Amino acid sequence: MAEPVRQELSALAAIFCGPDEWEVLSLSDGAVFRILTKAEGFMDTDIPLQLVFHLPLSYPYCLPGIVVNSKHLTRAQCEIVKEKLLEQAETLLLEPMVHELVLWIQENLRHILKCPEAGGGSEKCSSAASMTVDDGLWMTLLHLDHMRAKAKYVKTVEKWASDLRLTGRLMFMGKIILILLQGDRNDIKEYLILQKTCKVDVDSSGKKCKEKMISVLFETKVQTEHKRFLAFEVKEYSSLDELQKEFETTGLKKLFSECVLRLVK
């Protein structure tokens, strides 16, 4: 890790020192961390924001990756906030910028939310935003070879899915482990970054290790015949038939036959 990035992380840890304000998620392939903050929204009320930053190895000569989440904002609004943050980041290239970006969104969130493209409180705009969210829904099926520290691993996957507002299933059937994710495509990409760069499991000696045996079986835009998951759930299946039924009721019969069945052959 470059020394300027190390210094910036140290400064951020000192600034965001309150309970749960700051958490480093990964220090591989750059740095991934989460900041919890609040910004003034409509009616002078504070809106909690969760900001996940990915500082690539070439940062600050390139833009950071940013994911914005808030239970008080729609997905479309979160995306607009993210776009505005990236626009602001372009003016801060070549220098540490994360703290400046947090201060900027704290001062400007209410102005962003008043813009027509963010809904602006209009019922008509809110409906249009909802359509945009649905149009941007993607689905990815992942296969994990194994989990040694299962309880910790499962808890971590649930946390990442919650943080990134992803829904779907973590499925166990015998030795088969599958993760089915639905959500914004950029958020799914952020999940994959975390999955591949964080020490989420342990090796045969009990030492923490990264996930090196994960594969993407399938990725597609969610179609009308696909079920929309309302939450992320962990499910155990006692038989292949039971797992197949889950895929069929989700509108993924073809996916099961083409991608899942070959895992048991």
Side-chain angles (χ1 to χ4, degrees), residues 67 69 75 160-166 187 190-191 194:
V67 176
N69 282 306
R75 168 48 57 191
W160 287 342
S162 174
D163 289 348
L164 295 170
R165 296 179 71 175
L166 298 173
D187 291 342
E190 287 292 333
Y191 176 92
L194 294 173

Side-chain angles (χ1 to χ4, degrees), residues 202-213:
V202 296
D203 60 21
S204 57
S205 64
K207 186 178 179 180
K208 291 182 179 180
C209 65
K210 301 173 188 176
E211 180 56 71
K212 296 181 179 179
M213 302 184 73

Side-chain angles (χ1 to χ4, degrees), residues 74-77 80 116-136:
T74 67
R75 168 48 57 191
Q77 288 173 325
I80 291 169
E117 63 267 28
S122 164
E123 183 178 345
K124 180 179 180 181
C125 291
S126 179
S127 174
S130 177
M131 290 176 62
T132 302
V133 172
D134 191 56
D135 287 345

